[in-house]
Amino acid sequence: MSQPIRVTVWNEFRHEQTSEKVRSVYPDGIHRAIGEGIEGDFAIGYATLDEPEHGLTEEKLASTDVLIWWGHKAHKEVSDEIVDRVHKRVLDGMGLIVLHSGHFSKIFKMLMGTTCNLKWREADEKERLWVVSPGHPIAEGIGEYIELDREEMYGEHFDIPQPDELVFVSWFEGGEVFRSGCTFHRGQGKIFYFRPGHETYPTYFNPQVRRVIRNAVEWAAPTGRPKPVYGNYKPLETIKAKQHS
Amino acid sequence: MSQPIRVTVWNEFRHEQTSEKVRSVYPDGIHRAIGEGIEGDFAIGYATLDEPEHGLTEEKLASTDVLIWWGHKAHKEVSDEIVDRVHKRVLDGMGLIVLHSGHFSKIFKMLMGTTCNLKWREADEKERLWVVSPGHPIAEGIGEYIELDREEMYGEHFDIPQPDELVFVSWFEGGEVFRSGCTFHRGQGKIFYFRPGHETYPTYFNPQVRRVIRNAVEWAAPTGRPKPVYGNYKPLETIKAKQHS
Amino acid sequence: MSQPIRVTVWNEFRHEQTSEKVRSVYPDGIHRAIGEGIEGDFAIGYATLDEPEHGLTEEKLASTDVLIWWGHKAHKEVSDEIVDRVHKRVLDGMGLIVLHSGHFSKIFKMLMGTTCNLKWREADEKERLWVVSPGHPIAEGIGEYIELDREEMYGEHFDIPQPDELVFVSWFEGGEVFRSGCTFHRGQGKIFYFRPGHETYPTYFNPQVRRVIRNAVEWAAPTGRPKPVYGNYKPLETIKAKQHS
Amino acid sequence: MSQPIRVTVWNEFRHEQTSEKVRSVYPDGIHRAIGEGIEGDFAIGYATLDEPEHGLTEEKLASTDVLIWWGHKAHKEVSDEIVDRVHKRVLDGMGLIVLHSGHFSKIFKMLMGTTCNLKWREADEKERLWVVSPGHPIAEGIGEYIELDREEMYGEHFDIPQPDELVFVSWFEGGEVFRSGCTFHRGQGKIFYFRPGHETYPTYFNPQVRRVIRNAVEWAAPTGRPKPVYGNYKPLETIKAKQHS
């Protein structure tokens, strides 16, 4: 692919405006930290909840190869119309990377067909993400594990369909495990869910977390193919019953 | 399980009332032919679209272990409220067997997260369903393939998530193939999609088709487990940061 | 199935004879503890390494529906001929449950095609096996997790093919995770790998561990089907090129 | 990746020397036709059965990123030592593309753990490979299906583990279906099995077949990661039992 992959980083962008603590970690917003973390190879744009159409116009989505999604407190404020629009684009081939609390976003739940529920706890505890799929391109450049000193805990059962590929499994200090890096295919689109990234921790400045997101963008980029043909279809071979009727 | 599995066969039950041709094949309705085909081991009930709440009251669903679904022309008439109710029951463990044109039902699309679109053709052509998962319990008692002299064609691409297990693949006389027997897990529920069963053919009287549906009921019956715990969760182990705070 | 499932528990049975410590935990051998743990529904037999043909004669295997395998120090002493015999039986439909250090057995490595290597440590540490597939029949009757006070640690990366279904993921006190309950299908046979069971701990007396093994036996029992047909095969339909030749 | 992917095309290269018919189709050998078909982006080398060490020396394999394998009549003549060497390289990350009759090669059977048996027939019949995974990079640039006027038939049941991803399903004129494009992960290596390519047909000159092989090479190229750590492993966290002992 000679053209750079076009990435749109979507952020709810509310915590950063209402919480001093979050703003101190992400002064320019979580989306900017994510975008800076993958700079270099991609054409990166941004969109946030409070823009018109949440920044996700038809034009914007049509020119997005991979959409990254971070949301938390305002999932319900995302309009159903825009969710349907994003859903359609994913099925048509746009990649989607859902981060952390985006597990409860309308778009992720719609694509999964399940509640996407889980256990959680904010306790400044250690997370260690182990690579369980050692040849997967999303794990390129990552060692045995990624260790994060302090993160929110997410614990099993995580109510998702069985992932097509399980790339990371997290260990938490408090005693839980979590399927932290999961791939899914829906329609022509590729989806990667990646767990870490609570708003009060500098997770998106971590070089290994950034590497995973960069890898995931490359993995999720659309495959160039004509859209599948659906509906009524003429036979490609002679049908005997028809010959005699 | 000492109690018989409680099966509810749901049918749209419209073709049988509006089409002489369909009525001649299924005089008592498609649901009755399906139910009779699996008699013996199960406690079987019925429900149809035009009953109050489509026959799927809270009580009825709460006492259903496995729901079988046949619908075609009136998917849109199924109320969203009832679809949400069925969806919740599946995630809570009720088995679901979706037959033929049920691929476009609201409940199947909601569980899959995709369009569930496909190619189709009504041309009285031959279908041969090959077993590709020879040890799967849904294929118990089935030979190399099931041959149906005349059926509607469904062709790939079938826009579903990759099945957890692929049990049957169909060959069609007109030149297409189709993933005809697919299992999925969503929440605590098990789902089986089975392709054959156009309303103008006596497919549900075929002993092998009946055997597959009976096998699928046994496979999809709920697993006895407490419902998973979700939400805020106390640590099971001591967290160091908390010790010092 | 009206006949009880015929189970053979195979044990290397060496530790119990050479180690006072192991003998104190399993005075009758690990195989007896496993067999007693699943008594009631099954017809249970035993076989050990030092018997002629390791106790796995053609007759014994032909009348075994599910084989349970525990081995550790003497994998190399299992003859290739017997391994080939077991391999053939699994592909023909016999269920196989591989326990703990059986991950390095010849039969498991042959069926997986990989090294089946892993990290390990004997440190009397806590293991907690979380259910990640809440509707799977192998998890029937099991709560959120199984906790074992002291076990050997096995850590990722576990060099196996991606399991068809992942049922349990372990958390270890020392900081690792492990895919502890994995299903695989090979030929007509079903395989379940279950991690716990180091010889110096009373793991196979744990009621929940016993329940999982019992569930796995039921899940792995053979499916009644004719053996697939292989080799040269006559066409089922007319081939045009042949008509003209 | 700035360096071109290094591809080695391995061919048994016997039919071309013993059969006039095959030589007329592949005068330079099947390997050369395959290699020419993917020229441009890759550094391509060749190896054949009758070379010393079958052309697969330690050095050759160490400098191969993706190995393509075509064999048929002489699988047994491939030495076990070389098969073990290739096996080890795949687990260490080398990609492997197994073509057509290579389904019965020692290396493929060893990696799958099954017989890899199937139905077959040489009857100059039509094959149509349908894309069932529309977003998969191996299907990039391919339309609804690939049609081959005359090919050997391979029919289900194909005795392989369930593929990680199923990309193509074949329809055959004589009435069979086949899982024709299958991906597998073993160790750090990626494996793609691709069905077409009987020696008497010019299949490897077909532009779409060549495109699939080229896509598969890109997909199967190694992921840059340190080799996983195995064996005895020190705890990353404090273990309570050890504190008190």
Side-chain angles (χ1 to χ4, degrees):
Chain A
M1 193 176 291
S2 51
Q3 300 285 16
I5 297 171
R6 299 163 301 175
V7 181
T8 299
V9 186
W10 190 90
N11 183 14
E12 188 179 285
F13 199 33
R14 289 277 177 84
H15 288 293
E16 298 92 329
Q17 301 180 52
T18 58
S19 158
E20 183 66 39
K21 187 177 178 186
V22 175
R23 193 161 52 240
S24 73
V25 181
Y26 294 109
D28 302 317
I30 286 174
H31 52 302
R32 293 284 167 179
I34 293 168
E36 283 161 23
I38 59 174
E39 263 176 11
D41 305 314
F42 310 131
I44 301 171
Y46 299 94
T48 55
L49 179 64
D50 291 324
E51 294 173 53
E53 305 184 46
H54 312 320
L56 298 172
T57 60
E58 290 282 8
E59 296 69 32
K60 184 77 175 180
L61 281 176
S63 62
T64 296
D65 293 317
V66 179
L67 178 66
I68 299 178
W69 193 277
W70 197 101
H72 183 212
K73 287 292 182 199
H75 292 314
K76 287 183 183 163
E77 294 183 45
V78 179
S79 88
D80 290 341
E81 188 192 336
I82 303 299
V83 173
D84 287 343
R85 187 185 288 170
V86 174
H87 185 245
K88 193 176 172 311
R89 266 295 287 148
V90 171
L91 298 187
D92 283 353
M94 181 181 73
L96 178 68
I97 299 173
V98 175
L99 295 173
H100 190 62
S101 42
H103 75 91
F104 254 173
S105 62
K106 287 181 178 178
I107 182 61
F108 190 60
K109 291 195 292 184
M110 179 180 284
L111 283 161
M112 297 294 105
T114 55
T115 67
C116 302
N117 215 338
L118 46 75
K119 295 181 179 66
W120 61 271
R121 175 175 63 234
E122 298 182 36
D124 289 345
E125 72 196 274
K126 190 186 290 182
E127 174 178 14
R128 189 176 289 115
L129 297 101
W130 289 90
V131 175
V132 299
S133 186
H136 201 285
I138 292 181
E140 179 137 357
I142 304 298
E144 291 281 306
Y145 55 80
I146 301 173
E147 193 169 299
L148 301 170
D149 267 0
R150 298 196 174 195
E151 252 293 351
E152 185 181 2
M153 183 282 291
Y154 279 5
E156 295 283 347
H157 172 244
F158 182 18
D159 186 23
I160 50 170
Q162 174 161 301
D164 291 336
E165 301 157 307
L166 181 61
V167 185
F168 296 100
V169 172
S170 283
W171 176 98
F172 285 98
E173 199 181 347
E176 294 82 7
V177 298
F178 197 75
R179 289 170 292 170
S180 276
C182 301
T183 75
F184 305 92
H185 297 76
R186 294 294 181 270
Q188 295 190 270
K190 304 182 197 83
I191 302 162
F192 181 60
Y193 175 79
F194 191 44
R195 200 214 73 84
H198 189 60
E199 65 270 10
T200 59
Y201 304 110
T203 299
Y204 295 120
F205 296 101
N206 179 296
Q208 289 192 286
V209 168
R210 290 176 155 194
R211 178 66 191 268
V212 170
I213 297 173
R214 194 157 57 235
N215 291 342
V217 167
E218 286 172 356
W219 172 84
T223 298
R225 287 190 67 236
K227 209 180 148 175
V229 173
Y230 297 112
N232 190 251
Y233 197 70
K234 293 267 176 295
L236 300 161
E237 305 290 332
T238 307
I239 293 170
K240 282 173 203 158
K242 286 290 162 200
Q243 287 182 291
H244 303 290
S245 61
Chain B
M1 193 179 286
S2 50
Q3 301 284 14
I5 298 170
R6 299 163 301 174
V7 180
T8 299
V9 186
W10 190 90
N11 183 14
E12 190 180 283
F13 199 33
R14 289 277 177 84
H15 287 292
E16 298 92 329
Q17 301 181 51
T18 59
S19 159
E20 183 66 37
K21 187 177 178 185
V22 175
R23 194 163 48 239
S24 72
V25 181
Y26 293 109
D28 302 319
I30 286 174
H31 50 300
R32 293 284 166 179
I34 293 168
E36 283 158 25
I38 60 175
E39 261 177 10
D41 305 315
F42 309 131
I44 301 171
Y46 299 94
T48 54
L49 178 64
D50 292 324
E51 295 174 52
E53 304 185 47
H54 312 320
L56 299 172
T57 59
E58 290 282 7
E59 295 68 32
K60 183 78 175 178
L61 282 176
S63 61
T64 296
D65 293 316
V66 178
L67 178 65
I68 299 178
W69 193 277
W70 198 101
H72 183 211
K73 287 292 181 197
H75 293 315
K76 286 183 184 163
E77 295 182 45
V78 179
S79 88
D80 290 342
E81 188 192 338
I82 304 299
V83 173
D84 287 344
R85 188 185 288 171
V86 174
H87 185 246
K88 191 174 174 312
R89 265 294 286 149
V90 171
L91 299 186
D92 282 355
M94 182 182 71
L96 179 68
I97 299 173
V98 176
L99 297 173
H100 190 63
S101 42
H103 75 91
F104 255 173
S105 62
K106 287 181 178 178
I107 182 62
F108 191 60
K109 291 196 291 183
M110 180 179 283
L111 284 161
M112 297 295 103
T114 55
T115 68
C116 302
N117 215 338
L118 46 76
K119 294 180 179 68
W120 60 271
R121 175 174 62 235
E122 297 182 36
D124 289 344
E125 72 195 275
K126 191 186 288 181
E127 174 178 14
R128 190 176 288 116
L129 297 101
W130 289 91
V131 175
V132 300
S133 186
H136 201 286
I138 291 181
E140 178 137 355
I142 304 298
E144 290 282 306
Y145 54 81
I146 301 172
E147 194 170 299
L148 300 170
D149 267 359
R150 298 195 174 197
E151 253 292 352
E152 185 181 3
M153 184 282 292
Y154 280 7
E156 294 282 346
H157 173 245
F158 183 19
D159 185 23
I160 50 170
Q162 174 161 300
D164 290 336
E165 300 156 307
L166 181 62
V167 186
F168 296 100
V169 171
S170 283
W171 177 98
F172 286 97
E173 199 181 346
E176 293 84 7
V177 298
F178 196 75
R179 289 171 292 170
S180 278
C182 301
T183 75
F184 305 92
H185 298 74
R186 294 295 181 269
Q188 294 189 269
K190 305 183 196 81
I191 301 162
F192 181 60
Y193 175 79
F194 191 44
R195 199 214 75 84
H198 189 60
E199 63 272 10
T200 60
Y201 305 111
T203 299
Y204 295 120
F205 295 101
N206 180 296
Q208 289 193 286
V209 167
R210 289 176 156 194
R211 179 66 191 267
V212 169
I213 297 173
R214 196 158 55 235
N215 290 342
V217 167
E218 286 172 357
W219 172 84
T223 298
R225 286 192 67 235
K227 210 180 147 175
V229 173
Y230 298 112
N232 190 252
Y233 196 73
K234 294 267 175 296
L236 300 161
E237 306 289 332
T238 307
I239 293 170
K240 282 172 200 157
K242 287 291 161 194
Q243 287 182 293
H244 303 288
S245 62
Chain C
M1 191 177 290
S2 52
Q3 300 286 15
I5 298 170
R6 299 163 300 175
V7 180
T8 298
V9 186
W10 190 90
N11 182 15
E12 189 180 284
F13 199 34
R14 290 277 177 85
H15 288 292
E16 298 91 329
Q17 301 180 54
T18 59
S19 158
E20 184 66 38
K21 187 177 178 184
V22 175
R23 193 161 52 239
S24 73
V25 180
Y26 294 109
D28 303 318
I30 286 174
H31 50 303
R32 294 282 168 179
I34 293 169
E36 284 160 24
I38 59 174
E39 262 176 11
D41 305 314
F42 310 131
I44 301 171
Y46 299 94
T48 54
L49 178 64
D50 291 324
E51 296 173 53
E53 303 184 49
H54 312 319
L56 298 172
T57 60
E58 290 282 8
E59 295 69 29
K60 183 79 175 178
L61 281 176
S63 61
T64 296
D65 293 316
V66 179
L67 179 65
I68 299 178
W69 193 278
W70 197 101
H72 184 209
K73 287 292 182 199
H75 293 313
K76 287 183 185 165
E77 294 182 46
V78 180
S79 88
D80 290 341
E81 187 193 337
I82 303 300
V83 173
D84 287 343
R85 187 185 289 171
V86 174
H87 185 245
K88 190 173 175 312
R89 265 294 286 149
V90 171
L91 299 186
D92 283 353
M94 182 181 71
L96 178 68
I97 299 173
V98 175
L99 295 172
H100 189 63
S101 43
H103 75 92
F104 255 173
S105 62
K106 286 182 179 178
I107 182 61
F108 190 61
K109 291 196 290 184
M110 179 180 285
L111 283 161
M112 296 295 104
T114 55
T115 67
C116 303
N117 215 337
L118 46 75
K119 295 181 178 66
W120 60 270
R121 174 175 66 235
E122 298 182 35
D124 290 345
E125 71 195 275
K126 190 184 292 182
E127 173 178 16
R128 188 177 289 116
L129 297 101
W130 289 91
V131 176
V132 300
S133 186
H136 201 286
I138 292 180
E140 179 137 356
I142 304 298
E144 291 282 306
Y145 54 81
I146 300 172
E147 193 169 300
L148 301 170
D149 267 359
R150 297 195 175 195
E151 253 292 349
E152 184 180 3
M153 184 283 292
Y154 280 6
E156 295 281 346
H157 175 245
F158 183 19
D159 185 24
I160 50 169
Q162 174 162 301
D164 291 335
E165 300 157 309
L166 181 61
V167 185
F168 296 100
V169 171
S170 283
W171 177 98
F172 286 99
E173 199 180 347
E176 293 83 7
V177 297
F178 196 74
R179 288 171 292 170
S180 277
C182 301
T183 75
F184 305 92
H185 298 74
R186 294 293 182 272
Q188 295 190 268
K190 305 184 196 81
I191 302 162
F192 182 61
Y193 175 80
F194 191 45
R195 200 213 74 83
H198 189 61
E199 65 272 9
T200 59
Y201 306 110
T203 298
Y204 295 120
F205 295 101
N206 179 297
Q208 290 193 284
V209 167
R210 290 176 155 195
R211 178 66 192 266
V212 168
I213 297 173
R214 195 157 57 234
N215 291 342
V217 167
E218 287 172 357
W219 171 85
T223 298
R225 285 191 69 235
K227 208 179 151 178
V229 173
Y230 298 112
N232 190 251
Y233 196 70
K234 294 267 175 296
L236 299 162
E237 307 289 331
T238 307
I239 292 169
K240 281 172 203 159
K242 287 290 162 198
Q243 286 181 292
H244 303 289
S245 63
Chain D
M1 191 177 290
S2 52
Q3 300 285 15
I5 297 170
R6 299 162 300 175
V7 180
T8 299
V9 186
W10 190 90
N11 183 14
E12 189 180 284
F13 199 33
R14 289 276 177 84
H15 288 292
E16 299 92 330
Q17 300 181 54
T18 58
S19 158
E20 183 65 39
K21 187 176 178 186
V22 175
R23 192 161 52 240
S24 73
V25 181
Y26 294 109
D28 302 318
I30 285 175
H31 51 301
R32 293 283 167 181
I34 293 168
E36 284 160 23
I38 59 174
E39 261 177 11
D41 305 315
F42 310 132
I44 301 172
Y46 299 93
T48 54
L49 178 64
D50 292 323
E51 296 173 53
E53 304 184 46
H54 313 319
L56 299 172
T57 60
E58 290 282 7
E59 296 68 30
K60 184 76 174 179
L61 282 177
S63 62
T64 296
D65 294 315
V66 179
L67 179 65
I68 299 177
W69 193 278
W70 197 102
H72 183 209
K73 287 293 182 199
H75 293 315
K76 286 183 184 164
E77 294 182 45
V78 179
S79 88
D80 290 342
E81 187 192 338
I82 304 298
V83 173
D84 287 344
R85 187 185 289 171
V86 174
H87 186 244
K88 192 174 174 311
R89 265 295 285 149
V90 171
L91 298 186
D92 283 353
M94 182 181 72
L96 178 68
I97 298 174
V98 176
L99 296 172
H100 190 63
S101 41
H103 75 91
F104 254 173
S105 62
K106 286 182 179 179
I107 182 61
F108 191 60
K109 291 195 291 184
M110 180 180 283
L111 283 161
M112 297 294 104
T114 55
T115 68
C116 302
N117 214 338
L118 46 75
K119 295 180 179 66
W120 61 271
R121 175 175 63 236
E122 297 183 37
D124 289 345
E125 72 197 275
K126 191 185 290 181
E127 174 178 16
R128 189 176 288 115
L129 298 101
W130 289 91
V131 175
V132 299
S133 186
H136 201 284
I138 292 181
E140 179 138 354
I142 304 299
E144 291 282 307
Y145 54 80
I146 301 173
E147 194 171 299
L148 300 170
D149 267 358
R150 298 195 175 197
E151 252 293 350
E152 184 181 3
M153 184 283 292
Y154 279 7
E156 294 283 347
H157 174 243
F158 183 19
D159 185 24
I160 50 170
Q162 173 162 302
D164 291 337
E165 300 157 308
L166 181 61
V167 185
F168 296 100
V169 171
S170 282
W171 176 98
F172 285 97
E173 199 180 347
E176 293 83 8
V177 298
F178 196 74
R179 289 170 292 169
S180 276
C182 301
T183 75
F184 304 93
H185 298 74
R186 293 295 180 270
Q188 296 191 267
K190 303 183 196 83
I191 302 162
F192 182 60
Y193 175 79
F194 191 44
R195 199 213 76 84
H198 189 60
E199 65 272 9
T200 60
Y201 305 111
T203 299
Y204 295 119
F205 295 101
N206 179 297
Q208 290 193 286
V209 167
R210 289 176 155 194
R211 178 65 191 269
V212 169
I213 298 173
R214 193 156 59 236
N215 290 342
V217 167
E218 287 172 355
W219 172 84
T223 297
R225 288 190 66 234
K227 208 180 149 175
V229 173
Y230 298 113
N232 191 251
Y233 197 72
K234 293 267 176 295
L236 300 161
E237 307 289 332
T238 306
I239 293 169
K240 281 171 201 158
K242 287 290 162 198
Q243 287 181 293
H244 302 290
S245 62

